[in-house]
Amino acid sequence: MQEDAKHRQRAHIARARDRLGNSEARVSARQPARHSAADIARRRTLARPLLELLEKDLVPEVAVMLRHWQCVLVLADRDAVILAHWGDSRAMLPSHEDWLLPGTQWQEAQLGCNAIGSCLAEDEALDVIGREHTCDALHHLAGHAVPVRDWRGENDACLALLSDPYRNRSSRYSGLLQVLAMQIENGRLIAHYRHRHFRLAFNANRDDIDGPRSGLLILDAHGRPVNGNSRACWLLKLEREALTGTTIDTLFDTSWSELVARGNELVPLRVAGRYHCYGRLAAPDRLPDAKVPAKPSPLSALDLGDPRLRQAITLAERLGDRGIAMLLYGETGTGKEVFVKALHATSRRADKPLVAINCAAIPDALVEAELFGYVRGAFTGADPRGNPGRLREAHGGRLFLDEIGDMPLPVQARLLRALQERKVTPLGGSTAYPVDIEVIAATHRPLADEVASGRFRADLYYRLCGVELSLPPLRERHDIPALVQVLLAQLTRELDPEGKGGTPPRPSPALLDWLCRQRWPGNIREMENVLRVALAISDGPLLDLQHLPANAFAPDARLAAPAPQDPHEPPISRPISARPTPAAAPAGLRERLAAHRGNLSALARELGISRTTLYKRLREQAEVGVNALG
């Protein structure tokens, strides 16, 4: 087993050096990059629950070991950016202490082969000792790192120990990191599911049933697994995605009713006839004064599984009521206004007005009057009753300035003054009216470039950009199948407001695969229009490619033809009446999976999707192939 570990270690190092290629020599003397203070604050805000878990519960337990072993514990996010460290960094990097400060970049592109950057690139535990480091300044270090997983099982951070390579305690360091990583994963799982789900811990050692090495299954009210930790997947010999298709009686030689009847007792179990273990079932924690499970907030409801969108939602939820100005980036049609409405509905100002204005849709000459209002007779053609303006209409609530990059420079100056003084003077008037508003601006343009070119005021940019949120374009989202279901449900309610039509039609696997492979230059708005037409054409419970409008298949600049999954698979280009060959779609994915020797994680990384999405697509396409053969 030790030889296998050494072989894997050598393979990891070799792959890291292959990734660097010709840049290895240049990296050897390179200094790591540092992120800005604003970016560091954003990253630490996103990682706050993880930081709190470490600082409150885990680091105090290992502080004595860190001092005795003279090593440093380091936490980095998924981009290999240092978030925090514990221990005496001076002993590790005597002339480079700033290399462990928050915001320092340890990616392989910056420092070459190193435990933190290479662990995240490999998505596996990794040791890099002494001269295995590409960077000369790290030759006196031994680095030991493990990936840290969130409650979904996705790698979102890295935990590392840096030590003296001559102390020869790599097995102890690696073991400690593995235990800490399991404790973090278990803690995050429990925190996410504790209020509405049962938890089954199981272990062959009855005295370690509550320890980090126990398997942990999350179960719904009917005893069906909805999630589990990595240890449970390893013990049950199942991929995490496969847990949801099982039941308690298929995993263990017992029934759900028997487990519930034993309550919190230690129960002997047998894992599907293979070996004996012990289990303990924990009931959901009941929220005080909560008779029904709380519904997700309007903002949380937008989280359908895409990591980048989830990052924006997390930041907006934590900063939405702190008076911090937000600048929202996103292409046209990505749902910026939907996002802002959900943010407003989630905030303390939800009962106050949300006033939206599209700066690009109003003629330049009228933007000022629209924003600040005007008094009677202020200009020719003005409403004789005057107009209070959108800023005053938003008093107590929020003002959403969409396409702020199109605002004329003179109006930008007045807006900045109004935001600073919190007062608005209408055109032609002399009375200043106080306003209490929070501003959210949105644009599809890179405003920093607009500032550099002189088309946007730098002082207004810094006033509006307390934090930047980015909505990914539809072609880069990993949650398209879930988004399609949500859009179909919304469109069905819109077309049948009385609900007489029943449940919305479901997309066929072939249609879903086609939708996932489009470029969608018009983003969600464009997909919504395509689905609207498909719903109008279809007359059954299943939507298929034959229900799409003919122009959806046109390989023009507006909507690109689907990118082929395989070099030998031609792009789809069919009239509305043509039916696809059901067995054609799965071939690309199956061949790619075979090329990766069945490694789902490697294929998911290559395609830029999560393992869950890949697993679902393979399962759906397999069903299509079976139906075609039948």
Side-chain angles (χ1 to χ4, degrees):
M1 182 173 290
Q2 189 173 4
E3 287 300 318
D4 290 342
K6 289 181 179 179
H7 178 74
R8 289 197 303 271
Q9 172 74 11
R10 286 193 293 269
H12 288 318
I13 301 298
R15 283 196 294 270
R17 295 190 180 278
D18 288 342
R19 283 191 293 271
L20 288 169
N22 295 330
S23 66
E24 182 175 346
R26 294 194 300 273
V27 168
S28 63
R30 184 178 296 175
Q31 295 287 321
R34 285 292 307 281
H35 289 248
S36 66
D39 186 68
I40 296 170
R42 179 182 66 84
R43 291 175 184 272
R44 284 180 60 88
T45 298
L46 286 170
R48 183 178 297 162
L50 176 56
L51 284 166
E52 290 176 351
L53 176 62
L54 277 161
E55 290 174 345
K56 291 181 180 179
D57 299 331
L58 302 183
V59 172
E61 294 181 2
V62 300
V64 174
M65 277 186 282
L66 294 180
R67 288 195 299 270
H68 179 66
W69 291 349
Q70 297 179 6
C71 58
V72 180
L73 181 67
V74 182
L75 176 68
D77 67 12
R78 72 180 69 189
D79 298 320
V81 176
I82 302 297
L83 297 176
H85 73 271
W86 299 269
D88 188 2
S89 61
R90 292 172 298 180
M92 295 299 99
L93 295 163
S95 58
H96 303 289
E97 293 177 52
D98 56 336
W99 286 27
L100 289 179
L101 291 177
T104 308
Q105 179 68 259
W106 279 59
Q107 278 187 344
E108 286 183 333
Q110 291 288 324
L111 295 180
C113 180
N114 69 88
I116 295 172
S118 300
C119 167
L120 288 163
E122 291 283 322
D123 192 18
E124 288 191 32
L126 188 66
D127 301 335
V128 180
I129 313 295
R131 293 187 174 274
E132 290 176 341
H133 290 94
T134 309
C135 181
D136 297 342
L138 301 179
H139 283 179
H140 69 290
L141 285 182
H144 315 271
V146 294
V148 173
R149 308 200 180 278
D150 63 12
W151 62 270
R152 299 174 181 86
E154 297 175 1
N155 178 6
D156 72 339
C158 169
L159 205 59
L161 276 172
L162 303 181
S163 67
D164 184 337
Y166 302 106
R167 297 180 69 87
N168 194 25
R169 289 182 172 172
S170 61
S171 60
R172 294 188 185 182
Y173 297 147
S174 300
L176 174 62
L177 286 176
Q178 294 285 359
V179 170
L180 289 174
M182 288 187 284
Q183 287 179 301
I184 290 171
E185 182 184 10
N186 293 348
R188 295 169 109 181
L189 263 176
I190 292 172
H192 184 79
Y193 287 106
R194 70 184 314 151
H195 295 306
R196 295 189 296 276
H197 290 80
F198 289 83
R199 306 184 299 277
L200 176 65
F202 61 99
N203 196 318
N205 183 355
R206 62 182 300 161
D207 297 323
D208 195 32
I209 196 69
D210 296 318
R213 296 186 183 276
S214 289
L216 180 63
L217 288 178
I218 307 298
L219 310 165
D220 65 14
H222 303 286
R224 294 178 298 227
V226 298
N227 208 337
N229 66 359
S230 303
R231 182 69 172 170
C233 296
W234 185 83
L235 290 170
L236 297 171
K237 304 295 187 262
L238 288 173
E239 290 280 348
R240 188 184 298 261
E241 294 84 358
L243 284 175
T244 55
T246 62
T247 59
I248 280 295
D249 56 352
T250 61
L251 297 176
F252 302 97
D253 292 347
T254 188
S255 68
W256 174 238
S257 58
E258 292 173 355
L259 270 179
V260 173
R262 300 290 294 270
N264 197 38
E265 298 177 21
L266 200 61
V267 181
L269 297 174
R270 185 177 175 86
V271 180
R274 293 201 303 272
Y275 60 86
H276 292 281
C277 63
Y278 297 89
R280 177 181 288 143
L281 186 69
D285 297 346
R286 301 300 178 186
L287 290 172
D289 303 324
K291 297 182 180 178
V292 295
K295 292 183 179 180
S297 70
L299 199 55
S300 297
L302 299 180
D303 182 1
L304 301 177
D306 181 77
R308 288 174 59 188
L309 181 58
R310 183 183 303 135
Q311 185 180 71
I313 290 170
T314 302
L315 268 177
E317 284 181 327
R318 294 178 184 170
L319 304 178
D321 283 321
R322 296 177 180 265
I324 297 174
M326 298 184 186
L327 183 59
L328 192 59
Y329 283 98
E331 296 179 5
T332 299
T334 51
K336 295 189 290 290
E337 187 167 357
V338 173
F339 186 93
V340 170
K341 286 180 178 178
L343 167 61
H344 182 69
T346 304
S347 70
R348 291 197 303 262
R349 296 182 181 239
D351 59 338
K352 304 297 182 182
L354 171 64
V355 177
I357 180 170
N358 190 329
C359 301
I362 302 174
D364 290 358
L366 298 179
V367 172
E368 195 170 8
E370 188 76 14
L371 277 173
F372 307 108
Y374 52 85
V375 298
R376 178 180 179 180
F379 53 87
T380 303
D383 190 321
R385 296 169 296 182
N387 188 326
R390 308 311 295 272
L391 269 75
R392 287 171 62 191
E393 288 177 8
H395 179 62
R398 279 185 173 83
L399 179 69
F400 173 43
L401 296 173
D402 198 6
E403 299 303 348
I404 186 71
D406 292 295
M407 179 177 286
L409 278 167
V411 182
Q412 293 177 28
R414 271 204 78 183
L415 175 62
L416 176 63
R417 192 180 317 117
L419 295 179
Q420 289 174 337
E421 298 175 357
R422 296 185 174 273
K423 292 181 180 180
V424 175
T425 303
L427 294 177
S430 57
T431 304
Y433 297 89
V435 288
D436 171 25
I437 58 173
E438 289 187 5
V439 177
I440 301 178
T443 180
H444 70 281
R445 301 181 180 182
L447 278 195
D449 294 346
E450 298 292 298
V451 170
S453 64
R455 291 189 294 269
F456 200 86
R457 292 180 63 100
D459 45 8
L460 179 59
Y461 170 72
Y462 293 119
R463 182 79 185 190
L464 295 174
C465 186
V467 64
E468 293 182 1
L469 305 177
S470 179
L471 300 187
L474 183 56
R475 62 183 173 275
E476 296 177 6
R477 285 180 59 163
H478 296 170
D479 59 352
I480 290 180
L483 178 62
V484 170
Q485 299 288 0
V486 170
L487 290 176
L488 287 176
Q490 292 175 350
L491 292 171
T492 301
R493 288 194 298 269
E494 180 183 319
L495 296 172
D496 184 22
E498 297 182 2
K500 295 180 180 179
T503 58
R506 60 184 178 84
S508 69
L511 174 59
L512 199 58
D513 181 66
W514 185 89
L515 292 170
C516 290
R517 292 191 288 148
Q518 301 308 293
R519 287 182 53 223
W520 299 116
N523 291 295
I524 299 174
R525 187 180 296 122
E526 184 178 14
M527 177 190 278
E528 185 178 338
N529 289 336
V530 170
L531 293 176
R532 189 187 299 274
V533 174
L535 279 173
I537 294 175
S538 71
D539 55 359
L542 187 70
L543 285 183
D544 208 343
L545 285 167
Q546 66 186 30
H547 299 126
L548 295 180
N551 60 303
F553 297 103
D556 56 22
R558 187 189 68 81
L559 180 63
Q565 294 286 316
D566 185 90
H568 305 292
E569 180 185 343
I572 300 173
S573 180
R574 304 183 181 90
I576 192 168
S577 60
R579 270 193 176 273
T581 304
L589 279 182
R590 285 204 301 267
E591 290 175 6
R592 289 191 180 193
L593 185 61
H596 284 285
R597 298 181 179 179
N599 189 324
L600 287 171
S601 298
L603 179 56
R605 283 196 297 270
E606 177 189 318
L607 298 176
I609 60 177
S610 67
R611 286 201 315 171
T612 302
T613 301
L614 174 61
Y615 185 83
K616 288 180 179 177
R617 288 192 193 176
L618 287 168
R619 184 170 55 192
E620 289 165 353
Q621 292 184 349
E623 292 173 358
V624 174
V626 171
N627 293 337
L629 292 173

